[in-house]
């Protein structure tokens, strides 16, 4: 194998080189700016993590599994996984093999960017070499893999359901240019390499093309035209890359080490959040997952993929609207391929909204000092029903009855009127106000002298677990506590006949990872019916306090959709463990009764 | 003409003169959260209010005074709100009370001038 052109250059490489240099320059500038946005501590943490062997191994594994093989997408839908990974991994292999070829045959050209890409234009095959044939076979094999992926991608535009998707991202103009140029790159490469297959050699993909179209392909003028077209497609793709969703390709390379370094989202549009936003590939998985889609077709434009797009465009009105509407159920984050922490981003966007009316919680101190919970006769268990449970009295009543049945001595933290836990304020982006509530509640809990705090509202539960520092007090959701009592034999539950569908409240399931305790306890009282979308995939009831602007009608439609999922297998009873879900689902349900977890246990004691 | 003082006179009307009290703030509020116009003043929100249990917070009264352009006194009571959302759960009109309160907090500022400022 030797070089065909002694100069090692042809003008057709220029479009590719322009695109390549532009992307590299853009990424370099973006990286420097990004480092400037990180705090000194974060920067140090990031760079230090790059030298820790365990982190290096994790980074390599994640880049390989997430960016190239798309393991998560394979798990979601194998066809979707194949489509994405064939293009990503195939392209990576072609670039890698191109470099190996250059190093093996023309090492003095290894410094040129374009040589590995246009290798077969510049080379002539002399005789047959095993080494060359094997590389050519691999090159053609991966080209075939990519072409099959692109064929699937084209088919996906027509028939999404084949890939298990109901909706996909609506593309903007620049995304479309990127998409079409990406689709064009590989067929053009196939044709271009087919032209030179009789000179530079080829394998099972390129040689047959050369044979089939010999009369057309033997014309040398057509050869340059084909390579020009290939180079222009590459150049176009690279030029639109920084402004389209394809920016996720370089951004993910930074995102993964940053995530493994343990960085957190601290500002809505800067630093780590910006990397996450740029890493969003707009794959559309979050659009199907988002419960907002149940509210109406228009509402599917509020999914995380569109939030990322609006932030990228710096469209303040649109991204504020999207951020305010979200239910904060966390499903998009749970299914996201790049683990885009859209919930934190939304919360931080809400925090940036200015308020003229300052808060005034001075009344709290007098309430706390008046001794909300008497310190006399301290008991081990303190029960906090929370604001929402006050609106669904069946919950505190059932909990108290169960505690009495199990002979537990307990005290009520809020027998008449509670101080809110503060999570609704945090969700509304007013975390500094929430601190005052946290301080007051912490004082009340500590002054009661309890060891265990039972909470019946998942919203409060998550708040107590994440934001409160309750030293010496174990916080338990009532599902966990009653499950424990049943396991220890302190609470006897009678097995019933009812077929129960359990609804995972967002804050309890995805928020705190509690899926099994309520199911274990409920299976002692009845038989659990599987729900099509449960656990991580469970659909928000629509009543969430996370949303600021969602209207009552939209919430009702989400509740109906969520209930439809719960009743798909015809249960006798829908059970949930959240006062807000109970109220919302009960309002939406016509036929199937909706009950609370404690209520069901109470009926079976 | 001499008006004889009979020792009594017509009392000035107690009714609110809408023309005089129409306030740009209220218009802005309607644009931000049109639900404010849905309120029937039933008082459910105030009855269940967590903050109202400890303080003078009164959403029903506040909405009424806002629509009359007399917000100076009542709007201050909203600063006690903990946004717990109980009012959202009980409102028979399905008013998005939490967003309404947040919108009021964004627009109104006590001490920023009178009703027609």
């Amino acid at each position: 194998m030797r070089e065909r052109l002694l100069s090692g250059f042809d003008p057709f490489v220029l479009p590719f080189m322009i695109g390549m240099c532009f992307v590299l320059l853009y990424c370099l500038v973006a990286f420097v700016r990004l480092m400037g946005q990180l705090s000194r501590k974060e920067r140090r943490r990031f760079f230090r993590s790059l030298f820790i062997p365990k982190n290096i191994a994790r980074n390599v594994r994640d880049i390989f599994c997430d960016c190239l093989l798309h393991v998560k997408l394979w798990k979601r839908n194998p066809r979707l996984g194949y489509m994405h990974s064939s293009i990503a991994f195939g392209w990576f292999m072609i670039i890698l093999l191109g470099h190996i070829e250059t190093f093996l045959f023309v090492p003095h050209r290894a410094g040129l960017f374009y040589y590995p890409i246009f290798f077969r234009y510049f080379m002539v095959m002399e005789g047959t070499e095993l080494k060359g044939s094997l590389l050519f076979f691999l090159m053609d094999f991966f080209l075939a893999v990519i072409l099959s992926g692109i064929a699937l991608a084209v088919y996906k535009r027509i028939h999404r359901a084949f890939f298990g998707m109901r909706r996909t991202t609506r593309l903007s103009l620049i995304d479309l240019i990127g998409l079409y140029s990406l689709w064009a790159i590989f067929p053009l490469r196939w044709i271009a390499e087919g032209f030179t297959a009789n000179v530079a050699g080829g394998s099972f993909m390129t040689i047959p093309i050369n044979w089939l179209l010999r009369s057309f392909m033997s014309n040398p003028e057509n050869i340059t035209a084909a390579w020009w077209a290939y180079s222009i497609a590459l150049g176009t793709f690279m030029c639109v890359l920084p402004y389209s969703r394809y920016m996720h390709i370089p951004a993910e390379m930074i995102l993964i080490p940053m995530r493994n370094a343990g960085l957190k989202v601290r500002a809505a549009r800067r630093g780590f959040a910006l990397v996450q936003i740029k890493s969003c590939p707009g794959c559309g998985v979050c659009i199907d997952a988002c419960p907002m889609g149940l509210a109406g077709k228009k509402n599917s434009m509020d999914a995380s993929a569109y939030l990322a797009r609006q932030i990228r465009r710096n469209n303040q009105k649109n991204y504020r609207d999207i951020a305010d509407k979200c239910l904060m159920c966390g499903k998009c984050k749970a299914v996201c391929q790049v683990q885009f922490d859209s919930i934190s981003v939304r919360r931080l966007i809400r925090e940036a909204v200015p308020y003229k009316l300052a808060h005034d919680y001075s009344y709290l101190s007098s309430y706390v000092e008046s001794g909300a919970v008497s310190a006399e006769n301290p008991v081990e268990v303190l029960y906090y029903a929370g604001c929402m449970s006050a609106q669904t009295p069946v919950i505190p009543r059932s909990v108290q009855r169960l505690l009495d049945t199990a002979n537990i001595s307990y005290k009520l933290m809020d027998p008449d009127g509670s101080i809110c836990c503060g999570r609704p304020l945090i969700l509304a982006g007013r975390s500094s106000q929430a601190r005052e509530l946290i301080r007051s509640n912490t004082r009340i809990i500590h002054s009661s002298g309890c060891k265990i705090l039972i909470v019946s509202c998942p919203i409060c539960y998550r708040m107590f677990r994440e934001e409160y520092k309750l030293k010496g007090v174990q916080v338990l959701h009532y599902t966990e506590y009653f499950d424990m009592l049943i396991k220890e034999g302190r609470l006897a539950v009678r097995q019933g006949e009812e077929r129960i569908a359990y609804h995972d409240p967002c804050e309890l399931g995805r928020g705190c990872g509690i899926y099994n305790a309520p199911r274990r306890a409920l299976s002692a009282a009845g038989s659990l019916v599987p729900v099509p979308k449960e656990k991580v995939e469970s659909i928000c009831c629509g009543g969430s306090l996370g949303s600021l602007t969602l209207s009552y009608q939209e919430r009702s439609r989400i509740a109906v959709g969520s209930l439809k999922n719960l009743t798909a297998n015809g249960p006798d009873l829908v059970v949930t463990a959240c006062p807000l879900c109970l109220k919302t689902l009960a309002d939406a349900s016509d036929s199937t009764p909706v009950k609370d977890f404690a209520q069901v246990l109470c009926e079976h004691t | 003409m001499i008006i004889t003082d009979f020792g009594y006179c017509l009392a000035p009307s107690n009714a609110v003169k809408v023309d005089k009290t129409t306030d740009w703030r209220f218009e802005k509020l309607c644009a931000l959260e049109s639900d404010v116009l849905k309120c029937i003043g039933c008082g459910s929100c105030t009855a269940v209010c967590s903050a109202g249990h400890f303080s003078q917070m009164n959403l029903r009264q506040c909405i009424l005074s806002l629509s009359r352009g007399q917000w100076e006194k009542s709007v201050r009571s909203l600063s006690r709100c903990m946004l717990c959302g109980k009012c959202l759960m009980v409102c028979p009109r399905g008013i998005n009370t939490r967003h309404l309160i947040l919108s009021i907090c964004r627009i109104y500022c006590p001490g920023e001038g009178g009703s027609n400022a």
Side-chain angles (χ1 to χ4, degrees), chain A residues 209-397:
Chain A
I209 274 272
N210 192 283
W211 284 347
L212 282 171
L213 306 167
R214 174 133 291 175
S215 62
F216 176 66
M217 295 227 164
S218 54
N219 183 350
E221 278 178 15
N222 295 343
I223 298 181
T224 15
W227 284 93
W228 263 101
Y230 172 43
S231 175
I232 287 171
L234 273 170
T236 315
F237 179 72
M238 303 238 178
C239 284
V240 297
L241 183 135
Y243 308 104
S244 69
R245 59 177 181 158
Y246 297 101
M247 187 59 197
H248 79 267
I249 301 169
E252 261 189 277
M253 304 291 146
I254 304 292
L255 172 81
I256 287 170
M258 280 187 144
R259 191 168 64 209
N260 288 339
L263 298 196
K264 293 269 177 301
V265 171
R266 287 186 200 287
R269 292 163 51 224
R270 292 165 63 79
F272 188 41
L274 185 70
V275 184
Q276 293 197 340
I277 288 156
K278 296 265 185 192
S279 297
C280 169
C283 65
V285 172
C286 56
I287 300 173
D288 269 346
C290 184
M292 211 73 96
L294 295 168
K297 213 172 174 185
K298 206 178 73 206
N299 293 69
S300 64
M301 294 295 277
D302 296 318
S304 297
Y306 294 109
L307 175 76
R309 182 190 289 177
Q310 295 302 340
I311 298 176
R312 278 200 296 257
R313 286 185 187 165
N314 205 7
N315 189 332
Q316 197 190 59
K317 191 193 168 294
N318 283 4
Y319 71 67
R320 273 195 175 166
D321 281 353
I322 294 178
D324 281 353
K325 210 175 254 183
C326 174
L327 290 159
M328 308 286 242
C329 74
K331 196 171 172 188
C332 50
K333 191 183 162 192
V335 299
C336 182
Q337 305 305 304
V338 293
Q339 296 172 36
F340 172 28
D341 189 2
S342 51
I343 303 299
S344 301
V345 170
R346 284 181 162 104
R347 197 170 46 75
L348 289 162
I349 291 174
R350 290 176 185 186
E351 267 183 25
V353 175
Y355 290 97
K356 285 183 177 173
L357 190 68
H359 68 286
D360 172 17
Y361 296 147
S362 48
Y363 57 88
L364 292 179
S365 52
S366 57
Y367 173 67
V368 175
E369 272 152 26
S370 71
V373 181
S374 68
E376 292 164 22
N377 314 320
V379 286
E380 203 182 344
V381 176
L382 186 70
Y383 170 50
Y384 177 72
C387 308
M388 291 295 156
S389 302
Q391 295 314 109
T392 45
V394 67
I395 298 178
R397 214 167 45 222

Side-chain angles (χ1 to χ4, degrees), chain A residues 353-361 363 367 387-388 391 416 418 420 424-425 437 545 548-550 552 583, chain B residues 48 50-51 53-54 75 79-86 89-90 94 96 98-99 102 105-108 110 112:
Chain A
V353 175
Y355 290 97
K356 285 183 177 173
L357 190 68
H359 68 286
D360 172 17
Y361 296 147
Y363 57 88
Y367 173 67
C387 308
M388 291 295 156
Q391 295 314 109
D416 37 35
S418 59
C420 173
L425 276 170
L437 305 188
L545 286 181
L548 297 181
T549 53
L550 207 63
Y552 178 74
K583 171 97 181 13
Chain B
V48 299
S50 293
H53 185 70
F54 304 110
V75 99
S79 63
R80 275 90 171 176
C81 177
M82 299 191 269
L83 284 181
C84 70
K86 270 173 162 179
M89 271 174 104
V90 294
N96 189 350
R98 290 177 76 234
H99 189 241
L102 284 172
C105 292
R106 275 171 74 175
I107 298 168
Y108 291 87
E112 202 192 53

Side-chain angles (χ1 to χ4, degrees), chain A residues 16-47:
Chain A
F16 164 76
M17 283 308 288
I18 291 168
M20 189 73 203
C21 293
F22 174 63
V23 166
L24 287 178
L25 202 68
Y26 185 94
C27 290
L28 186 74
V29 172
F31 183 75
V32 172
R33 285 184 61 184
L34 171 73
M35 288 300 128
Q37 288 173 2
L38 294 180
S39 69
R40 182 180 279 184
K41 214 170 130 193
E42 285 176 318
R43 221 169 18 233
R44 202 181 300 154
R45 194 169 183 175
F46 171 61
F47 283 114

Side-chain angles (χ1 to χ4, degrees), chain B residues 61-88:
Chain B
Q61 194 189 51
C62 184
I63 294 175
L64 192 67
S65 349
L66 288 182
S67 61
R68 288 177 176 174
Q70 300 170 327
W71 49 272
E72 273 284 2
K73 272 183 205 159
S74 57
V75 99
R76 206 182 290 269
S77 78
L78 292 190
S79 63
R80 275 90 171 176
C81 177
M82 299 191 269
L83 284 181
C84 70
K86 270 173 162 179
C87 43
L88 190 75

Side-chain angles (χ1 to χ4, degrees), chain A residues 36-230:
Chain A
Q37 288 173 2
L38 294 180
S39 69
R40 182 180 279 184
K41 214 170 130 193
E42 285 176 318
R43 221 169 18 233
R44 202 181 300 154
R45 194 169 183 175
F46 171 61
F47 283 114
R48 217 175 262 173
S49 81
L50 293 179
F51 298 100
I52 301 170
K54 204 172 136 195
N55 264 25
I56 297 172
R58 233 165 64 189
N59 290 343
V60 171
R61 186 200 65 196
D62 285 357
I63 288 178
F64 204 73
C65 292
D66 291 357
C67 306
L68 298 177
L69 295 181
H70 292 89
V71 175
K72 277 188 210 152
L73 277 176
W74 274 92
K75 283 182 193 158
R76 193 151 197 91
N77 184 305
R79 289 166 191 161
L80 197 65
Y82 177 77
M83 188 201 98
H84 284 272
S85 61
S86 61
I87 300 174
F89 186 64
W91 201 0
F92 169 73
M93 283 310 286
I94 279 191
I95 295 169
L96 183 72
L97 289 169
H99 280 86
I100 293 174
E101 280 178 336
T102 315
F103 269 108
L104 281 179
F105 298 111
V106 274
H108 60 285
R109 302 283 190 205
L112 297 170
F113 275 139
Y114 60 84
Y115 225 80
I117 312 295
F118 305 116
F119 185 75
R120 291 201 208 173
Y121 181 82
F122 294 108
M123 300 303 283
V124 173
M125 181 93 145
E126 288 176 325
T128 40
E129 293 170 68
L130 186 63
K131 196 162 59 169
S133 304
L134 179 69
L135 280 170
F136 281 175
F137 169 77
L138 285 175
M139 287 292 254
D140 275 20
F141 172 74
F142 284 111
L143 186 63
V145 168
I146 298 176
L147 287 173
S148 68
I150 286 178
L152 283 175
V154 176
Y155 186 58
K156 184 170 157 256
R157 292 272 122 199
I158 311 161
H159 190 206
R160 292 189 288 268
F162 183 69
F163 299 87
M165 294 182 89
R166 244 162 19 94
R167 297 191 176 101
T168 80
T169 329
R170 214 180 289 170
L171 297 181
S172 61
L173 180 67
I174 198 119
D175 284 342
L176 279 175
I177 297 172
L179 180 77
Y180 292 142
S181 53
L182 179 67
W183 285 357
I185 288 171
F186 299 98
L188 286 172
R189 183 187 170 109
W190 187 20
I191 295 169
E193 290 193 336
F195 274 106
T196 44
N198 56 343
V199 194
S203 191
F204 68 97
M205 287 285 286
T206 38
I207 289 177
I209 274 272
N210 192 283
W211 284 347
L212 282 171
L213 306 167
R214 174 133 291 175
S215 62
F216 176 66
M217 295 227 164
S218 54
N219 183 350
E221 278 178 15
N222 295 343
I223 298 181
T224 15
W227 284 93
W228 263 101
Y230 172 43

